[in-house]
Amino acid sequence: MMQLHYTPTSPYARKVRVVIREKGLGDRVEEVVSSPLSDEGVPGHPLNKVPALRTEHGDWLFDSPLLCAYLDALDGKPSLSVHSTSSVSRWLAESLADGVLDRAVPHVLESRRPEREQSSYWQTRRLAAIARALQEMARVLNDAPSAFDIASISFVCTLAYVDFRLPQLAWKAAHPAMADWLAEQVERPSFAATHYG
């Protein structure tokens, strides 16, 4: 059996956990809560990061895009990949969502440091980048096909994470159509079963 090591509040891990549910792999993947910040970390994983997947052969895979693609392809019928389509907008959507997380997660971690150790310069830059990317995400969501794929999964996990960890951004007021779309998507069983908190 495969093992997915994750933390419940990781948006990167949530993407992978959603794919597991969407692909019906619950009986093949054991989900193990692991903290890369603890002394135990992720036993046997060289980089001690989550999410990390230990395959049935004992190999370690990590980074959510790779894990999602691997799990999606296990049955030989990838159904969630945007890479099999020529729609640049779907590729852009996945990249945008991951880019927001790449700014939001460090911002959250930095904000937990003592105030005198925080960099206001980098915190301000990160928030500005997130605001610009959310604007672009709203445009892409309006223009891109609405097929359910890894881009959609990435959008949901990213927007929900911003709500969860950065509520002060109050992005829904500026992007009501995207907020309505998110409200519909989070009712899907795979998202409901993996919510943050």
Side-chain angles (χ1 to χ4, degrees), residues 99-183:
V100 169
L101 292 181
D102 291 343
R103 301 302 182 273
V105 171
H107 181 87
V108 170
L109 294 175
E110 177 87 359
S111 68
R112 293 177 180 166
R113 299 174 66 189
E115 190 171 348
R116 67 183 180 280
E117 295 178 13
Q118 294 179 29
S119 169
S120 61
Y121 171 79
W122 285 110
Q123 291 296 72
T124 300
R125 286 182 60 91
R126 289 181 185 121
L127 289 178
I130 291 168
R132 290 192 306 271
L134 288 173
Q135 178 74 34
E136 185 67 3
M137 285 174 70
R139 185 195 66 77
V140 167
L141 188 61
N142 185 59
D143 295 345
S146 58
F148 186 82
D149 56 21
I150 195 63
S152 303
I153 292 170
S154 298
F155 260 48
V156 171
C157 293
T158 295
L159 294 172
Y161 184 78
V162 171
D163 277 351
F164 177 56
R165 291 297 195 200
L166 301 170
Q168 70 273 22
L169 295 183
W171 65 268
K172 291 179 179 178
H175 308 293
M178 188 159 65
D180 290 344
W181 177 85
L182 177 64

Side-chain angles (χ1 to χ4, degrees), residues 12-29:
Y12 301 106
R14 188 181 190 189
K15 288 168 46 179
V16 181
R17 297 177 70 216
V18 168
V19 169
I20 289 169
R21 285 153 180 79
E22 291 291 337
K23 296 293 289 189
L25 296 171
D27 60 340
R28 295 183 60 185
V29 183

Side-chain angles (χ1 to χ4, degrees), residues 5 8 11 43-44 46 61-62 66 71-72 76 92 100 118 120-121 156 169 192:
H5 289 257
L61 301 176
F62 46 92
L66 175 66
L71 293 168
D72 187 27
L92 174 60
V100 169
Q118 294 179 29
S120 61
Y121 171 79
V156 171
L169 295 183

